[in-house]
Amino acid sequence: MGDTFQTIVDLDAPPQDAPRLAERVIEWLVAEGIVLAQAEPGWALGDDPAHPPGPDWHKAVAHARWGAPEGLVVHTGHQVFYSTHVTANTVTCPRCGQTTTVEGEVTPRFGTAMNAWYETGAADVDCPGCAGSVPLPAWRWADHAYAFAHLGFKFWNWPALSDEFRARTARFLEGHDTALLMGKI
């Protein structure tokens, strides 16, 4: 069976604003009864404390009948977010618009940058099209395969989050661009 996750990633939050924005979203989710205020261990895969689902968790999902959720883990600080539901392994340069398949000699370029982002929260990749140096978070991955950001909300084993809920979450993130990354492990 496995465990599933859905992560709403704020693609625009600067590192200094991530904790404030996370607190704002959690306050809203608690007020709505979607999650409980106190994050606790044991409500998510791994050791991260997670907010247990609240009595009105169904307000966040498209179809509540598809199961009961586990916890919500809030990630602040530089993170490598990923999806396991990927059909294309391509990335597009935000400067020139060239789409590149991430394989062969291109893979080490992105792999090195991903490792640097994971370690330091900063990394650039030279575009094979325009030769410009582009910050790793600016690249756009097909199917939201990856997101390199400072704020993410990972929902463990929740039924599919509704489009309305994701839009409301973005409003609490001051209208920042968001991505939904999904997976199963």
Side-chain angles (χ1 to χ4, degrees):
M1 292 210 13
D3 291 291
T4 63
F5 62 87
Q6 299 167 80
T7 309
I8 298 174
V9 178
D10 183 329
L11 299 172
D12 298 330
Q16 66 275 12
D17 289 349
R20 175 185 61 81
L21 291 168
E23 184 176 323
R24 183 177 181 189
V25 169
I26 292 300
E27 286 175 357
W28 163 63
L29 293 174
V30 169
E32 290 280 324
I34 295 170
V35 299
L36 300 181
Q38 187 63 41
E40 304 171 2
W43 283 95
L45 192 63
D47 296 331
D48 292 323
H51 295 270
D56 294 323
W57 62 266
H58 61 276
K59 291 180 181 179
V61 302
H63 300 288
R65 69 177 177 262
W66 297 121
E70 290 182 20
L72 163 63
V73 176
V74 179
H75 295 280
T76 58
H78 60 273
Q79 299 286 322
V80 177
F81 298 100
Y82 65 92
S83 174
T84 62
H85 293 207
V86 178
T87 58
N89 197 22
T90 60
V91 63
T92 302
C93 175
R95 290 195 177 155
C96 70
Q98 178 173 322
T99 297
T100 304
T101 300
V102 183
E103 63 185 13
E105 72 275 358
V106 178
T107 300
R109 177 182 306 158
F110 281 96
T112 299
M114 288 177 185
N115 288 335
W117 174 267
Y118 180 77
E119 294 295 326
T120 68
D124 293 333
V125 176
D126 292 338
C127 175
C130 66
S133 182
V134 179
L136 184 60
W139 290 85
R140 294 298 180 232
W141 295 81
D143 296 331
H144 296 294
Y146 294 98
F148 303 89
H150 301 282
L151 178 58
F153 302 89
K154 186 176 278 188
F155 295 81
W156 281 100
N157 294 313
W158 285 56
L161 299 174
S162 72
D163 291 340
E164 178 187 352
F165 174 75
R166 292 188 348 246
R168 289 182 69 200
T169 302
R171 285 195 296 272
F172 277 91
L173 296 171
E174 300 175 351
H176 289 172
D177 190 17
T178 61
L180 178 66
L181 286 74
M182 300 183 298
K184 182 175 183 177
I185 52 176

